[in-house]
């Protein structure tokens, strides 16, 4: 299959390497010149479950990709959320009438952006448990196992997604069709929508936050807003399940001592956060459905204030 | 006049010194042994507008004050808010039927505690612009000018407060009777209820916070909750006035580069904050009047989380 990986960061690199090794025709598109130069010079390198690998995979800057002759059958979006719209603009000339577009980004409401470029029948929205890290320009660090759930958001349904699922599975990416992907996405967003913003604003790891006497009240207030917005869209969520998943983040023996990704982005690396696509998305959808979302609103504002105070870019 | 200064911290020291110098019979009550020992050994010392002064003023630990023979005509409360109830319990034996109790503490709802010990007709609630600092045990730093507004909250009204106002004025404390003290207190609480918690949680000075693009939305959301609760109690407030006072805190040439007192308490000195008597009081009063106060609620919870994460005492 002819595949564009749009966004060649950590996760994009994982998918590119695994799909390339499974004999697909893969190209990468990215906006980070140093990364592009390194991959052109040395191939895309990775520590892949302890083994050092390197694969020659074509990579283009998103500014130049409009000149590339490549009729993509599948685009997998792995940009930063804030760069999604710009990437779609850049690769639009390579997206044909039948090109499927798979979005596995964290957060809520990306389909509202993607549908401006691609008919909903060609959009596959998904959720992945794969992880990945980047050691530096051109070099990924890929450990462990994962899976993908995805769903066609249009009327095309499961049959139309089957070819993509097969390609992903031949590459070992463990994909399966879901009939309620928005539930999975909202469930994950409830975890990110509490742990990310709260640990960032409070300068705390997840376990320490979880042990404060106020964590449960705060978490329930935020999650209730996610539930109200999900409910208005007939997306089914179960409070017990969501709270259990949040509580599992407090476990000191597993992930509790970690800071969530937003903390790393903002507090460690002084990068802008994805808060607008997590809690901020709930505020936007809340306005649409006339649902008050003050906790998500305040948390979004606090994170934006912190971005500006830190001078994040 | 026979006066108990209940709480001999910075402000208590100022009032004690000025009232003692004006020939009143003043005693101090406090709970900090090192401070008590220093005042007993060397008198209450102060840098008073540049002049080093020292006055012998009796001081008692609040644990021993019940044995003291002193029929107070006036008690001035200057404890930390969290210690108000304990102090009132301690000095209760010294409060007679006619003892006036003046409370000038920052924050909202102290009258709800005081009325458990003193009839409302004897309670004077006030607001002061005086400032004071403590250099160490037994030594205050007192600069600048100030004033006091106060009101009798019972039916006794102005005439009954007149003797206290005269005593304060003879000591140069610039007191005057107010017919709407709760308006002044709520107005001040709006400033403290935004600057204190927000700068503490965001680790910011007031000017930097004010310059973020989200400050005005956050401030208006919080202040609106104060207004709703004030309105339910027929306390008059003007949005333009309150916002103007908050905006004046952002001025880099005056106080903008300072961190508010809560920041100093919690972030610098790892002390518990008074958030329960500012935003937390709005949450309690909001429940009483069935008014939603999510911003005050979330900010109160975040500050409590931060207290626990820091190990504040």
């Amino acid at each position: 299959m002819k595949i564009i990986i749009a966004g060649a960061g950590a996760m994009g690199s994982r998918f590119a390497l695994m799909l390339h090794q499974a004999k697909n025709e893969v190209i990468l598109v990215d906006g980070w010149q140093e990364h592009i130069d390194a991959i052109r010079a040395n191939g895309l390198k990775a520590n892949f479950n302890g083994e050092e690998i390197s694969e020659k995979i074509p990579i283009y800057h998103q500014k130049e990709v409009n000149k590339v002759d490549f009729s993509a059958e599948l685009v997998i979006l792995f940009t930063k959320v804030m760069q999604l719209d710009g990437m779609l603009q850049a690769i639009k000339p390579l997206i044909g009438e039948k090109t499927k577009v798979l979005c596995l980004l964290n957060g809520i409401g990306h389909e509202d952006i993607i549908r401006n470029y691609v008919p909903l029948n060609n959009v596959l929205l998904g959720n992945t448990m794969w992880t990945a890290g980047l050691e530096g320009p051109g070099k990924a660090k890929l450990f462990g196992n994962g899976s993908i759930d995805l769903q066609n958001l249009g009327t095309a349904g499961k049959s139309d997604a089957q070819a993509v699922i097969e390609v992903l599975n031949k590459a070992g990416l463990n994909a399966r069709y879901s009939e309620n992907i928005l539930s999975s996405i909202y469930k994950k967003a409830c975890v990110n929508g509490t742990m990310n913003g709260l640990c960032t604003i409070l300068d705390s790891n997840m376990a320490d936050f979880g042990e404060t006497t106020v964590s449960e009240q705060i978490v329930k207030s935020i999650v209730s807003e996610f539930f109200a917005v999900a409910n208005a869209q007939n997306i089914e969520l179960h409070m017990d399940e969501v709270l259990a998943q949040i509580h599992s983040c407090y476990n000191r023996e597993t992930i509790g001592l970690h800071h969530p990704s937003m903390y790393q982005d903002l507090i460690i690396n002084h990068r802008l956060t994805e808060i607008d696509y997590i809690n901020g998305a709930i505020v936007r959808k809340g306005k649409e459905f006339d649902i008050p979302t003050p906790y998500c609103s305040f948390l979004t504002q606090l994170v934006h204030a912190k971005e500006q105070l830190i001078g994040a870019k």
Side-chain angles (χ1 to χ4, degrees), chain A:
Chain A
M1 195 174 259
K2 289 165 85 89
I3 303 172
I4 297 176
I5 305 289
M11 284 290 282
S13 295
R14 170 184 282 285
F15 275 61
L17 282 167
M18 292 175 76
L19 288 162
H20 173 86
Q21 289 185 331
K23 310 296 178 202
N24 294 284
E25 192 180 337
V26 176
I27 68 168
L28 295 162
V29 182
D30 204 75
W32 181 20
Q33 193 61 51
E34 209 182 338
H35 189 52
I36 295 168
D37 293 344
I39 292 171
R40 282 184 177 158
N42 313 312
L44 175 58
K45 300 168 84 171
N47 179 336
F48 192 76
N49 293 322
E51 187 188 351
E52 297 293 338
I53 64 168
S54 169
E55 297 284 352
K56 280 279 174 197
I57 302 179
I59 182 162
Y60 303 95
H61 195 287
Q62 60 187 71
K63 281 184 203 156
E64 61 182 2
V65 76
N66 59 344
K67 295 170 204 146
V68 176
D69 179 23
F70 189 82
S71 306
E73 293 165 88
L74 173 63
V75 172
I76 308 182
L77 296 166
F78 269 129
T79 60
K80 284 264 165 197
V81 179
M82 295 82 89
Q83 293 148 6
L84 181 60
D85 194 77
M87 176 60 84
L88 282 162
Q89 271 181 44
I91 63 173
K92 192 170 171 19
L94 282 62
I95 299 177
E97 262 178 35
K98 295 193 170 173
T99 312
K100 303 282 180 223
V101 174
L102 171 60
C103 176
L104 297 175
L105 300 186
N106 279 330
I108 286 172
H110 308 316
E111 63 276 19
D112 298 337
I113 297 173
I114 301 170
R115 68 196 305 171
N116 296 328
Y117 298 90
V118 186
L120 218 46
N121 260 337
N122 287 345
V123 177
L124 301 170
L125 198 64
N127 205 3
T128 179
M129 303 299 283
W130 287 102
T131 62
L134 215 54
E135 289 189 344
K139 176 88 193 275
K141 190 173 174 181
L142 309 172
F143 278 81
N145 239 302
S147 60
I148 302 164
D149 290 293
L150 61 84
Q151 186 175 14
N152 176 266
L153 285 186
T155 54
K158 184 172 179 175
S159 60
D160 214 53
Q162 213 51 53
V164 171
I165 289 178
E166 268 170 40
V167 163
L168 294 169
N169 281 336
K170 277 190 190 148
L173 283 159
N174 298 334
R176 65 191 161 217
Y177 197 77
S178 164
E179 295 290 352
N180 54 358
I181 196 66
L182 288 169
S183 289
S184 317
I185 286 174
Y186 267 75
K187 192 175 164 189
K188 194 168 177 181
C190 285
V191 180
N192 287 326
T194 46
M195 293 302 98
N196 266 322
L198 293 169
C199 291
T200 299
I201 285 301
L202 290 169
D203 195 3
S204 173
N205 66 36
M206 297 188 281
D208 288 345
F209 167 72
E211 282 175 15
T212 67
T213 58
V214 291
S215 62
E216 195 67 359
Q217 297 163 45
I218 298 178
V219 160
K220 281 185 175 163
S221 297
I222 293 174
V223 166
S224 297
E225 295 177 2
F226 279 75
F227 271 57
V229 164
N231 190 44
Q233 299 169 86
N234 297 313
I235 299 168
E236 202 182 328
L237 288 172
H238 300 282
M239 188 58 89
D240 289 356
E241 259 178 54
V242 167
L243 290 179
Q245 203 170 338
I246 290 170
H247 295 159
S248 73
C249 297
Y250 304 155
N251 187 338
R252 289 182 185 273
E253 324 236 304
T254 54
I255 56 172
L257 298 178
H258 286 94
H259 292 88
S261 60
M262 186 177 288
Y263 182 96
Q264 311 219 5
D265 283 345
L266 181 55
I267 307 298
I268 310 287
N269 298 315
H270 297 191
R271 291 208 199 106
L272 292 170
T273 72
E274 300 185 343
I275 194 78
D276 280 338
Y277 305 91
I278 312 173
N279 305 81
I282 295 299
V283 176
R284 284 194 300 280
K285 300 239 174 218
K287 279 184 189 142
E288 206 177 298
F289 298 110
D290 209 15
I291 294 168
T293 57
Y295 269 68
C296 283
S297 174
F298 195 7
L299 188 56
T300 303
Q301 291 162 338
L302 286 171
V303 170
H304 282 317
K306 194 76 191 167
E307 287 174 340
Q308 293 170 42
L309 289 165
I310 281 184
K313 279 174 190 166

